[in-house]
Amino acid sequence: MTDRKNKNRGTSNGEKPADVRFVRVPSIAERKLGTDYVAPMRLDPRVLEQMQTTIKGLEARYGDTLRDQVRTLLTLVEPACGGDTEARGRLYAIVHDMRGLAGTFGHPMVGRFANSLCSYVESAGMDAWRDDTVFRFHIDAIREALDSPGADPAITLETLNALQKLIAASAAERRRMG
């Protein structure tokens, strides 16, 4: 056993201490995400609670923002599908924001419907804008999800499945038309 004076020089009986080597084991996140991964710092639970309170407060206001955005989307569909590139850009930007923010602020199905529409535009490219049907059905689904937040999840998932079938039918039609 070492005493306080000798703890860094050796053992109390004069033996040389064993070599000590520290081995750093990478975390699971580092193994999956690479060595550039930086672990998030731990937050004080009081700060986390304050953040959650802030998000809850923003949630109510975000619902109103979403309703305004749905009205804007409905006015943008016709010009966007008619060739107006500015309307296309605005429509896509709004839907893209919905895709990213809706789930955070308590509207996960709005986010899923918006994701479906964004994915359609991203995969179909310019062909997406030939017909407004897919856009209108997605916007109607978003509006319905906002108006009926307590809707049966099975029904909303069935709506999402129906939208995916509509997208598939639209893609098949585009292929057929050449």
Side-chain angles (χ1 to χ4, degrees):
M1 179 169 208
T2 62
D3 62 12
R4 289 183 188 252
K5 292 180 188 173
N6 294 326
K7 77 176 184 179
N8 291 327
R9 286 182 267 159
T11 61
S12 60
N13 63 5
E15 294 175 13
K16 183 179 175 189
D19 287 334
V20 177
R21 204 174 92 193
F22 291 95
V23 177
R24 187 180 165 284
V25 178
S27 71
I28 292 171
E30 285 176 351
R31 286 194 307 261
K32 290 183 176 183
L33 301 174
T35 56
D36 292 337
Y37 169 76
V38 177
M41 62 184 215
R42 295 183 188 245
L43 294 176
D44 183 323
R46 294 170 295 187
V47 172
L48 289 173
E49 185 178 316
Q50 184 179 4
M51 289 169 62
Q52 290 298 327
T53 302
T54 301
I55 288 171
K56 290 287 183 199
L58 293 172
E59 230 174 69
R61 286 187 279 166
Y62 187 66
D64 294 336
T65 299
L66 282 172
R67 284 176 184 77
D68 291 341
Q69 288 177 328
V70 167
R71 283 190 287 277
T72 301
L73 290 174
L74 288 170
T75 63
L76 291 172
V77 169
E78 189 175 330
C81 291
D84 184 335
T85 56
E86 185 179 322
R88 288 177 181 174
R90 284 188 62 211
L91 188 147
Y92 181 78
I94 291 169
V95 174
H96 190 271
D97 284 348
M98 286 179 176
R99 169 170 71 176
L101 294 173
T104 300
F105 294 111
H107 301 279
M109 285 312 298
V110 168
R112 290 184 73 181
F113 292 141
N115 181 55
S116 175
L117 185 53
C118 280
S119 296
Y120 168 67
V121 172
E122 291 161 0
S123 67
M126 293 305 291
D127 288 340
W129 304 101
R130 287 186 185 173
D131 182 15
D132 67 359
T133 305
V134 172
F135 291 96
R136 291 192 184 280
F137 276 100
H138 275 81
I139 295 166
D140 285 344
I142 290 169
R143 182 177 47 210
E144 184 60 33
L146 286 170
D147 291 344
S148 306
D152 182 357
I155 292 172
T156 54
L157 288 176
E158 188 56 39
T159 302
L160 187 59
N161 290 335
L163 290 170
Q164 294 304 310
K165 289 176 185 174
L166 178 63
I167 287 171
S170 176
E173 179 69 17
R174 284 194 316 273
R175 282 191 302 272
R176 189 178 67 74
M177 298 293 281

